[in-house]
Amino acid sequence: MGIKHNRRLWGKVLLLLVVLLIVGVTVSGCYGRTQTLGWSGAVVADDTLFIASVNGNLIALNTSDGGRLWPDVSLGTSAVAVYGSPAVEGDLVYVGGYNGKVYTISSSLGSKRQVYPVDENLEPIVSGVVVAYGKVYFGCSDGKVYALNAAELYKEWEFPTGDKIWSTPVIDGETIYIGSFDKKLYALNAMDGSKKWEFETGGAIVATPLVYNNTVYIGSFDRYLYAVDATNGSLRWRSGVEAGKWYWAKPVAYNNVIYAPNLDGKVYILDANSGSEVAGAVDLKSPISSSPVVVDGKVIIASQEGKVYSLDTSNNQISLLANLEDGGKIYAPLCASNGVIYIHTQTSKQDALYALNAQTGVTLWSLSLTSE
Amino acid sequence: MGELWNAGPMALMLNGLIALSHYLFGSFGLTIIVLTVIIRACMYPLTAKQLRSSQAMQALQPKIAELQKKYARDKQRLAEEQMKLYKESGVSPAGCAVPMIIQMPIWIALYQSIVRVLAVVPEGLLNLSRYLWSWSIVYSMLPLDNNFLWFNLMMPDIPLAVLVGVTMWLSQKMVTPVTTDPQQRSQSQMMLWMMPLLFGFMAMSFPSGLALYWVVSNVISIVMQYFVLGSWGSLARSTARGPVVADKQYLKRITQVEKTSADIGAVEADIVETSPTKEEGLDYGVSGDKRQVGGGGYLPSPRGIRRQPKRSKHHRPKRR
């Protein structure tokens, strides 16, 4: 009887272990997985703002009051995450999706026109799309830079890099600059995709490059900001200060000073020619992944926690412009047009767009992007 | 609690993995293998203790049977004597579960680390930076390559899931005790099949980096068990013909002992001699190890041995 009792006890212990194991791993499984929602930035063309919502719709808004110009256009049959800002050229809006497709939508009618590729899917597109010279340029997670014909949406050329591309290309003259996970910054001929030069940093590159005064500024995962000669790809300087975390957002320049936000919550203020610190880094106490904008001599920066700051470039003093914490987190790049800042905030289920006066921080209008 | 976990064990595992991968050619698969070896090496004293404990528990079965027979009508005394026996023999019935319990937070931390380190989606990579310690090698190593051998460490892989099941079955089979109790035997059989199937199933739905940890961990278990127990255990007995026969004889004998304890009053007149030399001469494994029935000095009680009834010279059994 005692033995049987002992065995029953053992059976219970083993059963408990198995249950604990299942519960533990399942809970950790639910906890660890991450959802793709996207963080599309906005683009303004002719008083119309285009933005993609976290539920995969392309939305056209009147910039004066935020009214919808046409019913939201669903990009895919299921929600498509969009990480890059849309691009506008003529009557077409271009947007790249995490499902590996590029879409064109008529900006006047709000109807889908074309999709690339038609039947298949590329690897996820995290990069934003850029339109120039009759071509649509974007980077892809398959490690290639693509150039599509902007009118017909067929591939004109592609350029392979050594790893994934999440960086948005920047076009200056006839050159495209783009970073890759392979730690390199590439300069490509925008016409045929031939490589002009490449420059290797110490870490992966996710940030979008900044081209300013014939110099390309790029932040890397090795926590340094690099200044590279735009003509030949030679290093001009590497920032003397090592940031606390990765450079994710695109830096901005004003009056020969570079403002480089970092995920450590600081904005590094560097001399554009030498890379030395012009002023001490400004600490916003929350990671910065949203690319800032410059409006009337002020750098507008949003931290992930939902606070918007204005950095006065004349004295490098920071002030809180608006607190949008109620709207959720801010990951998307900021958009500025006619003295108004458009800020995309999001939670895990819904997102909103705020239009703020760049000088006063007053909310001109705000609306939910998830529900019409 | 969640913050504590993230800042403590999870961050330690995550940063440790990334830093280790720096010295292993940036291969995250190789990093998981080396980490598994390190974890299992640290747990070796516990594992060895657990294995010896199970071995001793098996060896104690005849003694327990004897106690059961002796105190058949006094359950409390029986329990006391059993605990005393465990204590005297240095056996801890809970010892077997400790390594598994210790490994559970490691699995969870490893799972979360794999998902976070190999962040596929932008939200994941952005979130990862929160957990990184300010070591230069950690920052410059990321993001890590997801591919190892034929599989993507972030995605489930069916051949690897099968390997998880097979290696776990082999590892469990080695230490599955031989028992006569149908209830315990069915329980052992259930565990022998259920755990590999459960882990195999989980491996099919979790990142293969975790499955890689389980496979390597199982292989290490097999090797450790071989060296600690000095044999392939039940694995060898089930694959060799001779030992199976020996097991059957052993099982038969244990059955007899247990049956005897149940109807102790009725067997007094029904006795036949069993040769102790034959018992000692049994070979129980391909490696040559012999089952120590006595469990260290145990001598079969004469009361526990069945004897044939005395028969007359003229008595012959009927032939069919």
Side-chain angles (χ1 to χ4, degrees):
Chain A
M1 196 65 194
I3 294 176
K4 282 186 180 166
H5 172 74
N6 229 7
R7 285 168 192 168
R8 273 193 216 113
L9 185 72
W10 267 110
K12 284 176 186 169
V13 169
L14 286 172
L15 195 67
L16 182 71
L17 275 177
V18 171
V19 170
L20 273 175
L21 179 72
I22 295 169
V23 170
V25 176
T26 308
V27 167
S28 73
C30 298
Y31 187 71
R33 287 176 196 270
T34 313
Q35 212 181 344
T36 52
L37 292 170
W39 48 63
S40 164
V43 61
V44 175
D46 298 332
D47 296 332
T48 302
L49 180 144
F50 300 94
I51 192 167
S53 63
V54 293
N55 56 353
N57 290 337
L58 184 76
I59 299 166
L61 302 170
N62 189 324
T63 52
S64 58
D65 58 4
R68 279 173 159 85
L69 292 180
W70 25 261
D72 300 352
V73 177
S74 179
L75 294 174
T77 48
S78 57
V80 177
V82 176
Y83 292 93
S85 302
V88 183
E89 180 71 28
D91 184 45
L92 290 177
V93 185
Y94 299 82
V95 60
Y98 194 72
N99 61 347
K101 285 187 184 286
V102 174
Y103 300 89
T104 59
I105 292 104
S106 165
S107 62
S108 55
L109 302 172
S111 55
K112 261 196 276 190
R113 282 279 187 82
Q114 293 156 315
V115 60
Y116 175 87
V118 178
D119 298 320
E120 298 166 344
N121 296 64
L122 298 174
E123 290 290 304
I125 299 169
V126 177
S127 153
V129 294
V130 174
V131 185
Y133 304 113
K135 295 180 182 63
V136 186
Y137 302 96
F138 62 95
C140 182
S141 293
D142 62 9
K144 292 175 184 169
V145 182
Y146 287 87
L148 309 181
N149 180 287
E152 303 295 326
L153 223 56
Y154 60 85
K155 186 172 71 181
E156 291 204 357
W157 56 257
E158 65 180 39
F159 175 82
T161 69
D163 210 331
K164 285 192 273 198
I165 300 177
W166 284 5
S167 169
T168 297
V170 169
I171 296 184
D172 187 64
E174 288 190 358
T175 307
I176 299 173
Y177 303 95
I178 193 165
S180 167
F181 270 43
D182 67 4
K183 304 180 180 179
K184 290 176 183 169
L185 171 70
Y186 292 89
L188 309 176
N189 184 314
M191 300 303 149
D192 58 11
S194 59
K195 186 172 74 179
K196 290 188 172 179
W197 51 258
E198 64 180 40
F199 173 81
E200 185 160 1
T201 69
I205 299 172
V206 165
T208 299
L210 164 72
V211 184
Y212 179 71
N213 287 346
N214 200 37
T215 304
V216 186
Y217 298 90
I218 186 76
S220 167
F221 271 21
D222 65 359
R223 300 185 288 175
Y224 288 101
L225 187 80
Y226 293 82
V228 181
D229 188 306
T231 312
N232 56 27
S234 61
L235 177 68
R236 288 201 168 154
W237 51 259
R238 189 184 79 162
S239 55
V241 55
E242 185 183 37
K245 292 189 185 294
W246 295 327
Y247 282 102
W248 191 282
K250 178 184 177 178
V252 290
Y254 187 78
N255 260 353
N256 226 26
V257 176
I258 305 295
Y259 299 87
N262 188 277
L263 288 179
D264 65 3
K266 292 178 180 168
V267 181
Y268 293 88
I269 304 169
L270 309 170
D271 183 90
N273 296 322
S274 64
S276 58
E277 279 195 285
V278 173
V282 176
D283 194 355
L284 304 188
K285 311 279 186 197
S286 169
I288 309 163
S289 53
S290 161
S291 298
V293 286
V294 181
V295 181
D296 298 330
K298 288 186 175 141
V299 181
I300 312 295
I301 311 150
S303 66
Q304 267 185 21
E305 66 178 346
K307 288 182 178 165
V308 185
Y309 298 87
S310 174
L311 177 66
D312 192 333
T313 54
S314 61
N315 55 15
N316 294 318
Q317 292 298 305
I318 193 96
S319 58
L320 182 68
L321 196 64
N323 187 346
L324 307 178
E325 279 176 316
D326 291 344
K329 306 260 183 192
I330 301 175
Y331 303 110
L334 303 185
C335 171
S337 175
N338 292 330
V340 179
I341 312 293
Y342 300 97
I343 302 167
H344 187 180
T345 63
Q346 58 192 94
T347 64
S348 59
K349 287 180 182 167
Q350 54 188 358
D351 52 349
L353 186 72
Y354 288 83
L356 304 183
N357 182 302
Q359 293 298 324
T360 61
V362 171
T363 303
L364 303 174
W365 51 262
S366 66
L367 54 88
S368 166
L369 295 177
T370 319
S371 54
E372 283 188 53
Chain B
M1 187 66 185
E3 284 300 312
L4 262 176
W5 168 261
N6 284 337
M10 210 281 293
L12 176 69
M13 175 74 79
L14 190 143
N15 287 279
L17 275 170
I18 300 167
L20 192 58
S21 71
H22 175 76
Y23 301 103
L24 294 168
F25 322 107
S27 166
F28 197 56
L30 208 55
T31 306
I32 291 173
I33 292 173
V34 172
L35 179 88
T36 314
V37 173
I38 292 170
I39 289 172
R40 295 308 307 268
C42 293
M43 286 174 58
Y44 175 76
L46 260 176
T47 310
K49 194 178 171 188
Q50 174 229 335
L51 288 170
R52 289 191 190 106
S53 187
S54 336
Q55 199 177 28
M57 285 277 277
Q58 255 184 281
L60 283 178
Q61 288 303 313
K63 276 189 177 179
I64 290 169
E66 195 184 4
L67 286 175
Q68 189 191 24
K69 176 192 67 185
K70 198 171 173 182
Y71 303 108
R73 287 168 194 179
D74 187 351
K75 289 174 197 169
Q76 196 181 342
R77 184 77 196 274
L78 176 62
E80 282 170 15
E81 290 297 321
Q82 271 184 337
M83 287 316 293
K84 201 174 158 189
L85 180 64
Y86 286 144
K87 205 174 176 182
E88 281 170 2
S89 312
V91 172
S92 164
C96 304
V98 172
M100 200 174 185
I101 291 170
I102 287 180
Q103 280 194 80
M104 280 180 62
I106 296 173
W107 292 338
I108 294 170
L110 184 68
Y111 167 78
Q112 291 185 340
S113 302
I114 290 169
V115 170
R116 284 182 172 137
V117 169
L118 297 178
V120 173
V121 302
E123 283 90 345
L125 191 61
L126 189 54
N127 194 35
L128 171 64
S129 67
R130 286 170 51 199
Y131 306 107
L132 300 179
W133 292 343
S134 55
W135 301 341
S136 294
I137 51 168
V138 166
Y139 282 90
S140 55
M141 283 307 293
L142 291 169
L144 290 167
D145 186 10
N146 292 5
N147 299 309
F148 182 65
L149 298 177
W150 70 89
F151 50 90
N152 181 337
L153 290 160
M154 259 307 282
M155 304 301 289
D157 183 74
I158 291 173
L160 201 66
V162 172
L163 263 179
V164 169
V166 169
T167 52
M168 184 161 281
W169 188 88
L170 290 171
S171 166
Q172 297 251 101
K173 179 70 181 167
M174 274 181 87
V175 290
T176 299
V178 178
T179 176
T180 57
D181 183 350
Q183 192 190 340
Q184 201 186 11
R185 197 165 29 197
S186 69
Q187 209 171 65
S188 303
Q189 284 298 308
M190 190 182 74
M191 291 306 293
L192 177 63
W193 287 100
M194 195 175 76
M195 294 298 276
L197 285 174
L198 177 73
F199 274 77
F201 175 75
M202 288 198 303
M204 278 190 216
S205 44
F206 282 89
S208 52
L210 191 61
L212 180 65
Y213 171 84
W214 284 332
V215 169
V216 178
S217 187
N218 290 338
V219 171
I220 293 171
S221 286
I222 292 169
V223 174
M224 276 185 182
Q225 283 162 196
Y226 176 77
F227 282 104
V228 173
L229 302 178
S231 76
W232 295 106
S234 298
L235 200 58
R237 284 199 290 278
S238 65
T239 51
R241 195 170 178 274
V244 169
V245 175
D247 269 349
K248 281 181 181 169
Q249 286 174 326
Y250 171 77
L251 291 175
K252 193 177 171 187
R253 191 193 157 279
I254 294 291
T255 311
Q256 284 170 346
V257 170
E258 287 184 354
K259 196 178 174 188
T260 304
S261 66
D263 51 8
I264 188 165
V267 296
E268 293 291 336
D270 187 27
I271 301 170
V272 80
E273 289 270 273
T274 305
S275 167
T277 50
K278 194 180 175 185
E279 190 84 31
E280 284 165 14
L282 297 176
D283 186 358
Y284 287 101
V286 285
S287 58
D289 60 315
K290 290 176 184 173
R291 186 181 304 282
Q292 200 177 354
V293 177
Y298 168 74
L299 291 171
S301 162
R303 294 177 69 193
I305 299 171
R306 300 197 69 171
R307 295 180 187 181
Q308 278 186 342
K310 285 181 182 176
R311 295 179 181 120
S312 68
K313 286 179 182 176
H314 305 290
H315 175 82
R316 288 176 200 274
K318 286 181 183 175
R319 288 185 185 176
R320 292 182 182 180

Short mmCIF file of all heavy atoms in Angstrom, two decimals, chain B residues 199-217:
data_model
loop_
_atom_site.label_atom_id
_atom_site.label_comp_id
_atom_site.label_asym_id
_atom_site.label_seq_id
_atom_site.Cartn_x
_atom_site.Cartn_y
_atom_site.Cartn_z
N PHE B 199 7.65 17.01 -26.31
CA PHE B 199 8.74 17.90 -26.70
C PHE B 199 8.87 17.98 -28.22
O PHE B 199 9.18 19.03 -28.78
CB PHE B 199 10.06 17.45 -26.07
CG PHE B 199 10.26 18.01 -24.69
CD1 PHE B 199 9.59 17.48 -23.60
CD2 PHE B 199 11.11 19.07 -24.48
CE1 PHE B 199 9.74 18.00 -22.33
CE2 PHE B 199 11.29 19.61 -23.21
CZ PHE B 199 10.60 19.07 -22.13
N GLY B 200 8.65 16.84 -28.89
CA GLY B 200 8.69 16.83 -30.35
C GLY B 200 7.62 17.76 -30.91
O GLY B 200 7.87 18.54 -31.84
N PHE B 201 6.43 17.68 -30.30
CA PHE B 201 5.33 18.53 -30.75
C PHE B 201 5.66 20.01 -30.50
O PHE B 201 5.44 20.85 -31.37
CB PHE B 201 4.05 18.14 -30.01
CG PHE B 201 2.88 19.03 -30.30
CD1 PHE B 201 2.20 18.94 -31.51
CD2 PHE B 201 2.47 19.98 -29.38
CE1 PHE B 201 1.14 19.78 -31.78
CE2 PHE B 201 1.41 20.82 -29.65
CZ PHE B 201 0.74 20.72 -30.85
N MET B 202 6.22 20.28 -29.32
CA MET B 202 6.56 21.68 -29.01
C MET B 202 7.64 22.18 -29.97
O MET B 202 7.62 23.33 -30.40
CB MET B 202 7.04 21.80 -27.56
CG MET B 202 5.91 21.66 -26.57
SD MET B 202 6.29 22.29 -24.94
CE MET B 202 7.71 21.38 -24.50
N ALA B 203 8.58 21.29 -30.30
CA ALA B 203 9.66 21.68 -31.21
C ALA B 203 9.13 22.04 -32.59
O ALA B 203 9.74 22.80 -33.32
CB ALA B 203 10.69 20.56 -31.32
N MET B 204 7.96 21.47 -32.92
CA MET B 204 7.37 21.77 -34.23
C MET B 204 6.71 23.13 -34.25
O MET B 204 6.33 23.63 -35.30
CB MET B 204 6.35 20.70 -34.59
CG MET B 204 6.99 19.47 -35.17
SD MET B 204 5.74 18.40 -35.82
CE MET B 204 6.41 16.81 -35.43
N SER B 205 6.48 23.70 -33.08
CA SER B 205 5.80 24.99 -33.06
C SER B 205 6.66 26.11 -32.47
O SER B 205 6.21 27.25 -32.39
CB SER B 205 4.48 24.89 -32.31
OG SER B 205 4.64 24.16 -31.13
N PHE B 206 7.88 25.78 -32.06
CA PHE B 206 8.75 26.81 -31.48
C PHE B 206 9.99 27.00 -32.37
O PHE B 206 10.29 26.16 -33.21
CB PHE B 206 9.17 26.40 -30.07
CG PHE B 206 8.10 26.65 -29.05
CD1 PHE B 206 7.16 25.68 -28.76
CD2 PHE B 206 8.01 27.86 -28.40
CE1 PHE B 206 6.15 25.92 -27.84
CE2 PHE B 206 7.00 28.11 -27.47
CZ PHE B 206 6.08 27.14 -27.19
N PRO B 207 10.70 28.09 -32.17
CA PRO B 207 11.91 28.31 -32.98
C PRO B 207 12.87 27.13 -32.85
O PRO B 207 13.04 26.57 -31.76
CB PRO B 207 12.53 29.57 -32.37
CG PRO B 207 11.44 30.26 -31.68
CD PRO B 207 10.50 29.19 -31.21
N SER B 208 13.49 26.75 -33.95
CA SER B 208 14.35 25.56 -33.92
C SER B 208 15.61 25.78 -33.09
O SER B 208 16.30 24.83 -32.77
CB SER B 208 14.69 25.11 -35.34
OG SER B 208 15.20 26.19 -36.07
N GLY B 209 15.90 27.04 -32.72
CA GLY B 209 17.01 27.29 -31.80
C GLY B 209 16.78 26.60 -30.48
O GLY B 209 17.71 26.03 -29.88
N LEU B 210 15.52 26.59 -30.03
CA LEU B 210 15.19 25.92 -28.77
C LEU B 210 15.25 24.41 -28.95
O LEU B 210 15.72 23.69 -28.07
CB LEU B 210 13.79 26.35 -28.32
CG LEU B 210 13.36 25.97 -26.91
CD1 LEU B 210 14.27 26.58 -25.86
CD2 LEU B 210 11.93 26.39 -26.66
N ALA B 211 14.79 23.96 -30.13
CA ALA B 211 14.86 22.52 -30.43
C ALA B 211 16.32 22.06 -30.46
O ALA B 211 16.65 20.97 -30.01
CB ALA B 211 14.19 22.24 -31.76
N LEU B 212 17.18 22.93 -30.97
CA LEU B 212 18.61 22.59 -31.02
C LEU B 212 19.14 22.40 -29.59
O LEU B 212 19.91 21.47 -29.31
CB LEU B 212 19.38 23.70 -31.74
CG LEU B 212 20.89 23.53 -31.87
CD1 LEU B 212 21.22 22.33 -32.75
CD2 LEU B 212 21.54 24.78 -32.45
N TYR B 213 18.70 23.28 -28.69
CA TYR B 213 19.10 23.15 -27.28
C TYR B 213 18.64 21.80 -26.73
O TYR B 213 19.40 21.10 -26.06
CB TYR B 213 18.49 24.30 -26.47
CG TYR B 213 18.66 24.14 -24.98
CD1 TYR B 213 19.83 24.54 -24.33
CD2 TYR B 213 17.65 23.57 -24.20
CE1 TYR B 213 19.99 24.38 -22.96
CE2 TYR B 213 17.81 23.40 -22.83
CZ TYR B 213 18.96 23.82 -22.21
OH TYR B 213 19.12 23.65 -20.87
N TRP B 214 17.40 21.41 -27.03
CA TRP B 214 16.87 20.16 -26.50
C TRP B 214 17.64 18.96 -27.05
O TRP B 214 17.94 18.02 -26.31
CB TRP B 214 15.38 20.04 -26.83
CG TRP B 214 14.51 20.92 -25.97
CD1 TRP B 214 14.79 21.32 -24.69
CD2 TRP B 214 13.26 21.50 -26.30
NE1 TRP B 214 13.78 22.12 -24.23
CE2 TRP B 214 12.82 22.25 -25.18
CE3 TRP B 214 12.44 21.48 -27.43
CZ2 TRP B 214 11.61 22.95 -25.17
CZ3 TRP B 214 11.24 22.18 -27.40
CH2 TRP B 214 10.83 22.89 -26.29
N VAL B 215 17.94 18.99 -28.35
CA VAL B 215 18.66 17.85 -28.96
C VAL B 215 20.03 17.70 -28.30
O VAL B 215 20.41 16.61 -27.86
CB VAL B 215 18.82 18.05 -30.49
CG1 VAL B 215 19.78 17.03 -31.07
CG2 VAL B 215 17.49 17.96 -31.19
N VAL B 216 20.77 18.81 -28.23
CA VAL B 216 22.12 18.75 -27.65
C VAL B 216 22.04 18.33 -26.18
O VAL B 216 22.82 17.50 -25.70
CB VAL B 216 22.84 20.11 -27.79
CG1 VAL B 216 24.21 20.08 -27.15
CG2 VAL B 216 22.97 20.49 -29.25
N SER B 217 21.05 18.87 -25.48
CA SER B 217 20.88 18.54 -24.07
C SER B 217 20.59 17.05 -23.89
O SER B 217 21.12 16.40 -22.99
CB SER B 217 19.74 19.39 -23.50
OG SER B 217 19.64 19.22 -22.13
#
